[in-house]
Amino acid sequence: MERTEGREISEIFVDSGEAHFPRGRGPGRRRGVGHPRRRAVAGWGAVLDPATRALLQGHTVVFLRVGLSEAVKRVGSGVGRPMLLGNVRSRIKALLDERTPIYEAAATLAVDTDGRTPDEVAAEIQEQLA
């Protein structure tokens, strides 16, 4: 997106707002859904979009759950993340409180990621889906 827009994500966000970011719209984002050998990865709040949630129905959707303390550690001071300007911890808490129920409702599997390596999380997902 930075390459297409010719500016950094933080600039895009400040200038154009969160709504400017694609949330599963367009054919490029939908190619992986429903294909037996592809996996679609939804980020940036993609499942907040009702059309994306409808598209995901009937498919395996894994929610990678993160707790407040872990999320705060991961983003640090929030520099470069315009949604977290101000009190980082309180903004993350508000986002988790607002979005977690939506993510959980869209998911067929939720996996806790706190204190775990990507390999550990991937192994659990593989085990759960086997």
Side-chain angles (χ1 to χ4, degrees), residues 17-108:
E18 184 183 9
H20 184 74
F21 289 84
R23 288 196 173 152
R25 291 184 280 259
R29 298 230 181 252
R30 296 176 187 209
R31 277 190 285 238
V33 177
H35 189 286
R37 294 195 177 265
R38 291 189 186 151
R39 302 297 176 256
V41 177
W44 289 353
V47 296
L48 299 177
D49 178 40
T52 301
R53 289 196 306 272
L55 182 68
L56 294 172
Q57 285 182 342
H59 298 285
T60 300
V61 176
V62 180
F63 168 40
L64 302 177
R65 186 183 295 121
V66 64
L68 177 60
S69 294
E70 183 74 18
V72 170
K73 281 193 289 187
R74 290 181 189 179
V75 300
S77 65
V79 173
R81 295 175 182 257
M83 284 193 73
L84 302 180
L85 293 176
N87 183 330
V88 173
R89 186 176 184 83
S90 68
R91 285 295 302 135
I92 290 173
K93 182 180 182 334
L95 288 169
L96 287 173
D97 289 348
E98 171 193 338
R99 294 179 176 196
T100 297
I102 298 168
Y103 297 156
E104 288 177 339
T108 54

Side-chain angles (χ1 to χ4, degrees), residues 1 5 7-17 20-21:
M1 188 164 194
E5 294 273 335
R7 52 194 175 138
E8 293 182 13
I9 294 293
S10 58
E11 287 179 73
I12 298 167
F13 202 101
V14 169
D15 295 342
S16 304
H20 184 74
F21 289 84

